[in-house]
Amino acid sequence: GDAGEAAAAGKPYPRGPSVNAKTVKNDNSSRFGKFIRINFDVNGYIVGANIETYLLEKSRAIRQARDERTFHIFYYMLTGAGDKIRKDYSEQPYMSNINQTSELCLEGYSKYRFLSNGNVTIPGQQDKDMFSDTMEAMRIMGFSEEEQIGLLRVVSSVLQFGNMSFKKERHSDQASMPDDTDWTFLTSFYNTNPPAIPVNISLAAQKVCHLMGMNVTDFTRAILSPRIKVGRDYVQKAQTQEQAEFAVEALAKATYERMFRWLVMRINKALDKTKRQGASFIGILDIAGFEIFEVKFWERLECCSRLNSFEQLCINYTNEKLQQLFNHTMFILEQEEYQREGIEWSFIDFGLDLQPCIDLIEKPASPPGILALLDEECWFPKATDKSFVEKVLQEQGTHPKFFKPKKLKDEADFCIIHYAGKVDYKADEWLMKNMDPLNDNVASLLNQSTDRFISELWKDVDRIVGLDKVAGMSELPGAFKTRKGMFRTVGQLYKEQLSKLMATLRNTNPNFVRCIIPNHEKKGFPNRIVFQEFRQRYEILTPNAIPKGFMDGKQACVLMIKALELDPNLYRIGQSKVFFRAGVLAHLEEERDMKITDVIISFQAWCRGYVARKAFAKRQQQLTAMKVIQRNCAAYLKLRNWQWWRLFTKEFDRKREASASSEPTGRGDAVSQGKDEELPQSQRKKEKKKKTKEEKQQQAEKQLEEMDVKYQQLNSEKQALQEQLQAEMDLCAEADEMRNRLVAKKQELEEILHDLEAREWRRRRSERPINLQTLHWKKKFSLISEQQNITDLEQQLDEEEAARQKLQLERVTMEAKLKKVEEDVMVLDDQNNKLSKEKKLLEERIGEFTTNLAEEEEKSKSLQKLKNKHEAMITDLEGRP
């Protein structure tokens, strides 16, 4: 629909503004993995598409490295959102006593803590224009205005989360908010006086509640003193400054991630509206490559060093699995097929068995892998990142792909040898990242939000990991086990998702795009084709290579390849297939296409000849028939006024009537009555046919009149174009004549110049020597004057030539128009002749019907006489005794 039209018009649309960002090496880097699936039905038609996502880099929403940007949509919104969208686009109330006007609460770049580097621009890209394109793209995908403004409110609320600040109270560790309440802001959103709000509510918290449809007092209480379940009771637990800041950042990341998941779901819904089941699909997997992260970056305006963390372990674990699939597909299975087919091949050991490293990460038991140990630690009370590292060292310390680094202070906790190299991992906050806990008090408020869009995003609030889980790790074991059945870690979910992806990839025929550097030293035989298909497809290239009669497929392929004269190094013949080096099949396909093209051209030529001959024979038959008709018509025209012919026709009609009247009438009254009933019916049919013919004749006459009018109009246009063409031709002739005159004048001036030069040379020889310098300047001035005259004449000649060419082009255009008009006139003449013939034919048929009608009337009269005669005879017979 609209999306297809926009694409056809060439209009660019932003690529992933909500999940793409600027990095040091890429201005539009995709910060998540995705598997795009295009579904086809059994007939090969596209029936829909869908997207599956993996590992969104949600931490980028709250902090970025130096010279990098957060997700594009933040900058698009801050730059491109106009006053209407900023202030009064939406009309959703956020509390019962709030005015109907609401805002996005946007500020300058420097006002947001989550924009670590401020306004980082991208060369050649205007964020304001990209915002307009993003809104247009959402409209094309079918997003309603409510959904569009809901997305923008979520993006703005994520930024406002970062502006919430906390401080430590004077005599305790409890966190509190600074007193920066903006009463002007509150008053602008209330019909009457603002409600009684505690003075320790920050302006950022007020804006967050306004954007997300929450009560500001309840939100503040949920952040600073959340209710936590201990055993069967709920207690309020005061939060420290660090805990409050962690909870706010976790809410910001979770909010953005949920918005992203909703966006993917909404796009999938728009892409797959059909109900038809896909029989096959084409999938594209785009996922982050192997990461070894050892660079400096800016975090909260302080430079610090960061090693690889839990996110890098998940990414590298994924790449280990994909590399294993690549090795299995490209090396192991390939060489096993060579052996099965018995072709000449020396087995190559690539030494890329990645299963030990994969088991180190994912193995569930005996001994458990790193992910299993991490999940196990998450269930233990009072577990820490240090206890997790100690358990990993205890269980996997002797693994060949695992070892503990020598340096301990501020360095990696353990190392893993991946296929791409050794990677040092730092296990800080791995338990928290694996559980991904959220403040369930705030999550409940978001679930009950007055904004339907926000409430929809948080509808699965019962499945989150709450603060009681984190509290149970350090306080009460019983509190930690109450909802164990519903607790699923990030590692478990990602492992299951990756397993499904790998199962999908194994059931397909994968192709790998891993490097843009060409490999000119390719080994192996990547292209193969079974004997029967090879013979069926390429036998056209070797028509005489295979003798008639039955022949084994392998033997037939040997003869064909011998006839093709292929280099023996370019192919191998197996037990059921022929294997080729890269590019050989492509060359054969080109040769086959050329051969088929020649065959098709020959077949087309034969068909055209056959059609032409058949049409010629038909024309010959028509010509013969026309001559016979013309000869008969000429004979009739000669005989129709001859008296003897008239006498002959009348006598012939009289004899025919007499013979008709002498026919037996044995059926009596029933026969007479039947004829009486048939006579009026036949007359009505004839009259109806006559009326139809008259209507057709009138319609034909009307069309003929219209064609005559159009013919006259075209004739007048033709005459006007002829007159215009004649005028243009006259102008062209005048221009040619002027050009000839100018050329002649130029030649004359050149002769005069040569004459003057000769006279000057003779004068110099006859006269006394004079001042050479004076003579030189005089001659130079004379030559300059003559040259100027020649230049002027050449310029005038060029102008005349341009005018002549212009007139020539106009002449060609007029001739084309005239030719078109003549063709139209010829078409009208043909139509006129056709209509005249049809009119003549209709007149002849009307005359024929008139004659037949007269004959039928005469027959009717004769029958009436016979009827009367028979009635008289019947009456006479009845009157006899």
Side-chain angles (χ1 to χ4, degrees), residues 8-239:
K11 183 175 178 59
Y13 284 105
R15 296 170 294 169
S18 299
V19 287
N20 286 16
K22 179 186 182 304
T23 62
V24 176
K25 296 183 180 180
N26 189 350
D27 288 342
N28 194 42
S29 176
S30 180
R31 308 312 299 166
F32 72 110
K34 52 188 166 295
F35 182 67
I36 304 172
R37 183 197 304 257
I38 304 174
N39 298 315
F40 299 84
D41 62 8
V42 292
N43 297 320
Y45 293 101
I46 295 178
V47 296
N50 65 290
I51 305 170
E52 297 177 12
T53 61
Y54 310 92
L55 285 181
L56 171 68
E57 189 190 12
K58 57 184 179 181
S59 60
R60 182 172 288 269
I62 63 174
R63 61 180 62 88
Q64 307 86 42
R66 178 187 288 182
D67 298 330
E68 292 191 353
R69 301 204 326 176
T70 183
F71 299 107
H72 290 323
I73 189 61
F74 292 100
Y75 303 91
Y76 294 171
M77 181 182 66
L78 293 176
T79 305
D83 294 337
K84 182 175 179 61
I85 300 180
R86 286 174 180 266
K87 294 184 178 180
D88 59 357
Y89 191 94
S90 176
E91 295 183 354
Q92 299 294 330
Y94 109 88
M95 281 196 307
S96 59
N97 54 352
I98 285 186
N99 197 324
Q100 289 297 316
T101 303
S102 61
E103 299 180 352
L104 292 181
C105 307
L106 300 182
E107 305 175 33
Y109 290 96
S110 60
K111 301 293 185 180
Y112 294 111
R113 182 170 63 89
F114 280 173
L115 299 181
S116 306
N117 302 314
N119 184 15
V120 180
T121 59
I122 298 177
Q125 176 176 304
Q126 298 294 329
D127 291 336
K128 185 175 182 180
D129 297 337
M130 297 303 290
F131 177 79
S132 301
D133 292 341
T134 301
M135 302 301 290
E136 177 67 11
M138 287 195 289
R139 184 193 66 79
I140 288 176
M141 294 302 293
F143 285 45
S144 64
E145 292 185 357
E146 181 182 358
E147 291 172 339
Q148 294 178 31
I149 199 63
L151 288 171
L152 296 179
R153 290 166 70 90
V154 170
V155 175
S156 179
S157 66
V158 171
L159 291 176
Q160 292 296 338
F161 270 122
N163 290 349
M164 292 180 61
S165 59
F166 302 92
K167 65 180 181 178
K168 183 179 178 181
E169 291 190 353
R170 184 174 300 177
H171 301 293
S172 66
D173 292 335
Q174 183 174 354
S176 63
M177 291 185 181
D179 184 9
D180 61 349
T181 302
D182 190 346
W183 295 97
T184 303
F185 171 82
L186 290 178
T187 305
S188 65
F189 290 102
Y190 284 84
N191 292 322
T192 60
N193 294 328
I197 297 179
V199 295
N200 62 339
I201 297 180
S202 67
L203 175 60
Q206 299 166 20
K207 292 182 178 180
V208 168
C209 293
H210 157 65
L211 291 168
M212 306 193 77
M214 295 185 293
N215 183 286
V216 64
T217 305
D218 295 340
F219 172 71
T220 306
R221 186 182 299 114
I223 290 290
L224 298 178
S225 301
R227 296 174 70 245
I228 298 176
K229 188 174 184 181
V230 180
R232 297 183 179 180
D233 300 326
Y234 285 91
V235 297
Q236 283 191 331
K237 183 177 184 299
Q239 299 290 292

Side-chain angles (χ1 to χ4, degrees), residues 19 153 216 254 289 502 529 537 632 673 680 845:
V19 287
R153 290 166 70 90
V216 64
M502 299 306 298
I529 185 170
R537 189 164 185 83
N632 292 335
Q673 186 177 359
R845 295 183 68 179

Side-chain angles (χ1 to χ4, degrees), residues 562-573:
K562 184 178 180 181
L564 290 171
E565 298 180 353
L566 293 179
D567 187 354
N569 189 39
L570 297 179
Y571 68 91
R572 294 288 187 276
I573 299 178

Side-chain angles (χ1 to χ4, degrees), residues 338-507:
Y338 293 168
Q339 290 182 347
R340 286 195 305 270
E341 291 291 329
I343 67 174
E344 182 182 350
W345 176 260
S346 56
F347 191 83
I348 300 176
D349 184 9
F350 292 91
L352 294 175
D353 186 11
L354 308 182
Q355 194 59 43
C357 186
I358 294 174
D359 290 340
L360 172 63
I361 299 173
E362 72 172 9
K363 194 172 182 182
S366 301
I370 294 176
L371 291 179
L373 291 173
L374 182 61
D375 293 339
E376 184 178 334
E377 280 298 289
C378 289
W379 290 111
F380 278 96
K382 298 184 180 181
T384 62
D385 296 324
K386 184 178 180 181
S387 64
F388 161 68
V389 173
E390 292 174 351
K391 185 170 289 188
V392 171
L393 294 174
Q394 179 183 353
E395 295 288 343
Q396 301 289 347
T398 59
H399 196 282
K401 298 293 183 179
F402 177 89
F403 66 93
K404 181 176 175 60
K406 296 180 180 179
K407 296 181 180 180
L408 298 177
K409 186 177 180 180
D410 294 331
E411 292 292 338
D413 292 314
F414 57 87
C415 299
I416 298 178
I417 301 177
H418 293 279
Y419 74 92
K422 184 184 70 173
V423 182
D424 298 330
Y425 290 99
K426 189 72 173 176
D428 290 346
E429 298 183 354
W430 277 36
L431 298 182
M432 284 292 186
K433 292 179 179 179
N434 193 38
M435 290 189 298
D436 197 17
L438 291 175
N439 188 322
D440 49 355
N441 291 250
V442 179
S444 299
L445 293 177
L446 292 169
N447 177 254
Q448 300 169 7
S449 170
T450 56
D451 189 317
R452 288 186 299 176
F453 186 79
I454 301 296
S455 177
E456 176 69 17
L457 292 184
W458 290 88
K459 62 183 179 181
D460 59 343
V461 66
D462 57 335
R463 293 200 296 269
I464 68 172
V465 181
L467 292 177
D468 54 350
K469 297 289 187 291
V470 183
M473 292 175 62
S474 59
E475 295 178 2
L476 298 175
F480 186 75
K481 299 179 180 178
T482 53
R483 295 167 62 189
K484 181 175 180 180
M486 302 177 65
F487 184 7
R488 303 190 68 191
T489 62
V490 174
Q492 290 174 349
L493 294 174
Y494 183 69
K495 185 178 177 181
E496 292 176 4
Q497 198 176 23
L498 181 59
S499 298
K500 293 179 181 178
L501 173 64
M502 299 306 298
T504 301
L505 295 179
R506 291 190 187 96
N507 293 328

